[in-house]
Amino acid sequence: MKLFLLLLFCHVSSPVKHSMTFFISESSGVTNLPEFVGAGQIDDITVGYCDTNTKVVVIKQDWLKMIFIIYPQELLQYNIWCSESMPELFKGIVDSYMQLFNHSGGVHIVQMRSGCEWDENSGEVTSFMKIGYDGEDFLSFDLKNLTWIALNPEAATQEWDNNIAITERYGNFFNHVCPESLKVSVQYGKSSLQRTELPSVSLLQKTPSSPVSCHATGFFPHRAVMFWRKDGEDLHEGVDQGEILLNPDETFQMSVDLDISSVTPEDWRRYDWVFQLSGVKDDIVTKLDKAEIRTNWGNIGIRKDEETPSEKTLPIVVAVAVLVILISVIGFTVYKKKKAKLPAPPPDNVSELSEKLNPET
């Protein structure tokens, strides 16, 4: 209930929180994916990507391409990280963790998620960095107190904490450089990042006894709320809230199911479904109407003037989550069995980039 109220509050206020998130994945024993994958997003929109197959940074947004046309040396540096330094570094990390846990073979994956968030209204900045191995949390960096936190009993942190110079440089990058770069990116990509797109909505049902699913797809941004109501009151019982998923075109989709097994035909008119999108004043309200339900078990519930549902109106499952994310501009930490060695922090020219690109200067 508290989460719902929080999301509802986000609907009535303007979207002021922005995020820059970096992802890295290095795998061993996986045959159908590149060993190294790096990606990054701004406000949940992929801005670039690279892997050991491409060996170059693929820029996904036109406004970012223009920045790198002006400053090609920065793109060159990212390409070096992608093709040489990062894959080599993360291969060593996987080998170290496999040795630590006595893993001689099989499929093993090291993942890192890091970045920063910026509240445009309050100016508050929060940063994060977390490392995982084989799907389990392993290590995190407390960027407020500049300390490493073991999330696994095997992850000793004392030597890392004692390396004050390295720790402070990581803290500077995530607490200062990352937020400044995020602000610059939001300014240059504002028209794309802060657009709003309303969804197409459908009532779907697999079988006559299945729950009715209200599905919204093609909306942007991802800050949205969906819920069922009865007589104007929010419903919680018999409702299954789905997650917000990313579409291939980088819009979003979401579904919420309603169990109608105990709903009499006379009571259907008392139910409706509400979609609220952050930054948009008017809600989308859809009545529970059998004539509007689209099915995949015959023509029942499909109006004669409508065609059967197309693939665009059906839920799209994003199969490989690791391929939605881009090259990281930070280093990583390598854990050895007894002695850990930290990778070098990002070079100083990363901070210089944010100063060069800031339109206000």
Side-chain angles (χ1 to χ4, degrees), residues 84-94 330-334 343-344:
E84 300 176 10
S85 57
M86 287 297 180
E88 181 179 351
L89 174 63
F90 275 84
K91 188 178 187 308
I93 293 170
V94 171
I330 65 165
F332 187 61
T333 58
V334 181

Side-chain angles (χ1 to χ4, degrees), residues 252-288:
F252 298 91
Q253 61 167 298
M254 179 169 45
S255 295
V256 57
D257 296 345
L258 174 66
D259 183 1
I260 60 170
S261 59
S262 59
V263 179
T264 64
E266 297 80 20
D267 285 342
W268 274 48
R269 67 179 185 277
R270 301 171 63 187
Y271 292 81
D272 58 27
W273 167 86
V274 181
F275 176 88
Q276 299 176 336
L277 183 63
S278 178
V280 177
K281 181 179 179 181
D282 297 327
D283 300 337
I284 297 176
V285 179
T286 303
K287 288 286 187 181
L288 180 58

Side-chain angles (χ1 to χ4, degrees), residues 6-307:
L6 176 62
L7 291 173
L8 187 59
F9 174 77
C10 290
H11 166 68
V12 298
S13 61
S14 60
V16 295
K17 280 196 173 182
H18 303 282
S19 63
M20 177 180 287
T21 310
F22 304 102
F23 303 81
I24 282 184
S25 175
E26 176 77 27
S27 61
S28 175
V30 180
T31 58
N32 59 340
L33 287 176
E35 289 184 355
F36 172 85
V37 175
Q41 298 177 334
I42 296 176
D43 287 355
D44 299 304
I45 295 299
T46 303
V47 296
Y49 164 86
C50 77
D51 58 40
T52 45
N53 290 343
T54 62
K55 295 185 179 180
V56 294
V57 179
V58 179
I59 305 300
K60 307 292 286 185
Q61 303 296 325
D62 289 341
W63 54 267
L64 187 58
K65 291 179 182 178
M66 294 190 65
I67 292 177
F68 287 126
I69 288 175
I70 300 172
Y71 299 98
Q73 69 276 12
E74 304 298 341
L75 181 58
L76 176 61
Q77 180 63 67
Y78 293 152
N79 282 325
I80 293 174
W81 286 338
C82 179
S83 62
E84 300 176 10
S85 57
M86 287 297 180
E88 181 179 351
L89 174 63
F90 275 84
K91 188 178 187 308
I93 293 170
V94 171
D95 292 342
S96 297
Y97 284 15
M98 288 179 65
Q99 181 182 3
L100 173 67
F101 290 100
N102 295 319
H103 293 155
S104 58
V107 175
H108 300 286
I109 300 177
V110 168
Q111 294 172 305
M112 186 271 290
R113 177 180 179 271
S114 61
C116 58
E117 294 180 346
W118 166 53
D119 189 311
E120 193 173 352
N121 271 0
S122 67
E124 181 184 6
V125 170
T126 57
S127 303
F128 50 89
M129 177 177 176
K130 182 176 287 187
I131 302 161
Y133 177 66
D134 285 355
E136 299 291 334
D137 291 339
F138 191 77
L139 185 73
S140 68
F141 188 28
D142 180 350
L143 287 145
K144 184 176 182 180
N145 298 305
L146 301 185
T147 56
W148 297 91
I149 301 172
L151 305 178
N152 184 293
E154 300 292 337
T157 63
Q158 182 177 2
E159 185 170 346
W160 296 352
D161 285 334
N162 290 339
N163 196 329
I164 298 175
I166 296 295
T167 298
E168 287 182 347
R169 290 194 65 185
Y170 273 109
N172 178 67
F173 176 80
F174 285 110
N175 292 328
H176 302 289
V177 177
C178 180
E180 288 305 313
S181 298
L182 173 57
K183 294 173 185 177
V184 171
S185 298
V186 169
Q187 292 177 27
Y188 274 90
K190 191 171 186 178
S191 61
S192 175
L193 298 170
Q194 297 186 2
R195 75 187 191 276
T196 57
E197 294 184 19
L198 294 176
S200 60
V201 299
S202 303
L203 292 174
L204 308 173
Q205 191 177 28
K206 294 181 180 179
T207 70
S209 59
S210 298
V212 174
S213 176
C214 200
H215 179 249
T217 186
F219 62 87
F220 188 92
H222 72 288
R223 295 178 290 272
V225 179
M226 289 173 55
F227 53 94
W228 282 97
R229 299 186 306 191
K230 180 181 179 182
D231 297 331
E233 298 292 330
D234 300 347
L235 275 178
H236 302 287
E237 294 185 4
V239 173
D240 184 12
Q241 182 74 52
E243 296 181 356
I244 296 179
L245 302 175
L246 181 67
N247 286 326
D249 63 357
E250 296 188 349
T251 60
F252 298 91
Q253 61 167 298
M254 179 169 45
S255 295
V256 57
D257 296 345
L258 174 66
D259 183 1
I260 60 170
S261 59
S262 59
V263 179
T264 64
E266 297 80 20
D267 285 342
W268 274 48
R269 67 179 185 277
R270 301 171 63 187
Y271 292 81
D272 58 27
W273 167 86
V274 181
F275 176 88
Q276 299 176 336
L277 183 63
S278 178
V280 177
K281 181 179 179 181
D282 297 327
D283 300 337
I284 297 176
V285 179
T286 303
K287 288 286 187 181
L288 180 58
D289 185 347
K290 184 171 293 188
E292 299 291 336
I293 297 177
R294 301 184 174 206
T295 75
N296 58 2
W297 43 273
N299 292 327
I300 299 176
I302 301 179
R303 298 186 307 186
K304 292 182 180 180
D305 61 337
E306 289 186 311
E307 298 179 353

